[in-house]
Amino acid sequence: MKKALIVANWKMHKTRTQGRDFIQKLRRLSVPRDREVVICAPFTVLSSLDWKNLGAQDMFWEASGAYTGEISPVHVKDAGCTWVLLGHSERRQYFSETDSMIQKKLAAAVQNDIKPIVCVGETREQRKRSQTFRVLRKQIQALKRKSGFVVAYEPLWAIGTGVNATPEEAQLVHVFLKKLVSVPIIYGGSVKPENTASFMAQSAIDGLLVGGASLNFADFRKIILSF
Ligand code: PGA
């Protein structure tokens, strides 16, 4: 059975206690068998969470060495993760991550048997100038791989703004991306309980990456159960 992927991205939120409290509630929920829920928590919180699908929010490509402050694929697995988010637009924007760094991180994740979710997306300016497809093609081609990962399409103008892409806009982009790579494509950017069902009704949308609405258990529960 192909499962819908529902990924929570907690970003720089939640302490260990808050994380454990959330997971306790999540464990009591009967998640329908046709969906898989992944929790991407801050590094320091991960190992205290008892959840089968945990993800890191980033990772360095080297296995070990003198790289102060970095977290390796070995650490990510040691913390109990089977997933990793790579190339989130906030990493690209605030921490100067480039396509070539993301390509190396992707290769390291594949090599270490960690399931990568690579984020791509255009800015509002690029969309206005009709450059969406060109920008996305460049980001995807830089990965130098056509399978073995998940793509999260996250238009930058929709992240944390409350303004989501319409399900039809997202569908068009997902169809385009599916011609470039044969991987599941999930949508992210202001996903809320109210718009979940309409995104999931689109044939090319294989799941959702949820930021803000994944912090509150009641909202996230609705997202999991609303399609
Ligand atoms: P948002 O964030 O749901 O708060 O828009 C999504 C993301 O950045 O992954």
Side-chain angles (χ1 to χ4, degrees), residues 9 11 88-90 154 158-161 188-191 209-213:
N9 177 12
K11 308 192 179 183
H88 189 282
S89 66
E90 287 149 17
E154 295 207 303
I159 296 178
T161 58
S190 296
V191 171
L209 178 52
V210 191

Side-chain angles (χ1 to χ4, degrees), residues 181-196:
V181 277
S182 23
V183 303
I185 318 251
I186 64 177
Y187 169 80
S190 296
V191 171
K192 307 177 259 271
E194 310 83 81
N195 58 27
T196 294

Side-chain angles (χ1 to χ4, degrees), residues 8-14 40-42 57 88 90 154 159-160 210-212 214-215:
N9 177 12
W10 286 352
K11 308 192 179 183
M12 201 171 68
H13 296 284
K14 292 197 191 292
C40 298
Q57 298 173 11
H88 189 282
E90 287 149 17
E154 295 207 303
I159 296 178
V210 191
S214 74
L215 294 175

Side-chain angles (χ1 to χ4, degrees), residues 78-139:
D78 192 44
C81 294
T82 44
W83 293 85
V84 66
L85 279 182
L86 296 174
H88 189 282
S89 66
E90 287 149 17
R91 303 282 330 156
R92 296 179 192 251
Q93 189 182 345
Y94 303 127
F95 304 97
S96 310
E97 283 203 12
T98 62
D99 282 343
S100 103
M101 289 161 73
I102 294 157
Q103 184 266 324
K104 285 187 199 164
K105 292 180 177 195
L106 173 60
V110 171
Q111 201 187 355
N112 285 278
D113 232 5
I114 304 168
K115 294 179 237 178
I117 302 170
V118 180
C119 305
V120 297
E122 82 286 2
T123 63
R124 175 166 298 291
E125 226 18 65
Q126 289 163 336
R127 177 162 278 259
K128 271 198 210 141
R129 293 196 196 127
S130 308
Q131 293 169 344
T132 300
F133 291 152
R134 196 190 319 160
V135 168
L136 294 172
R137 184 184 291 112
K138 186 171 164 283
Q139 290 174 344

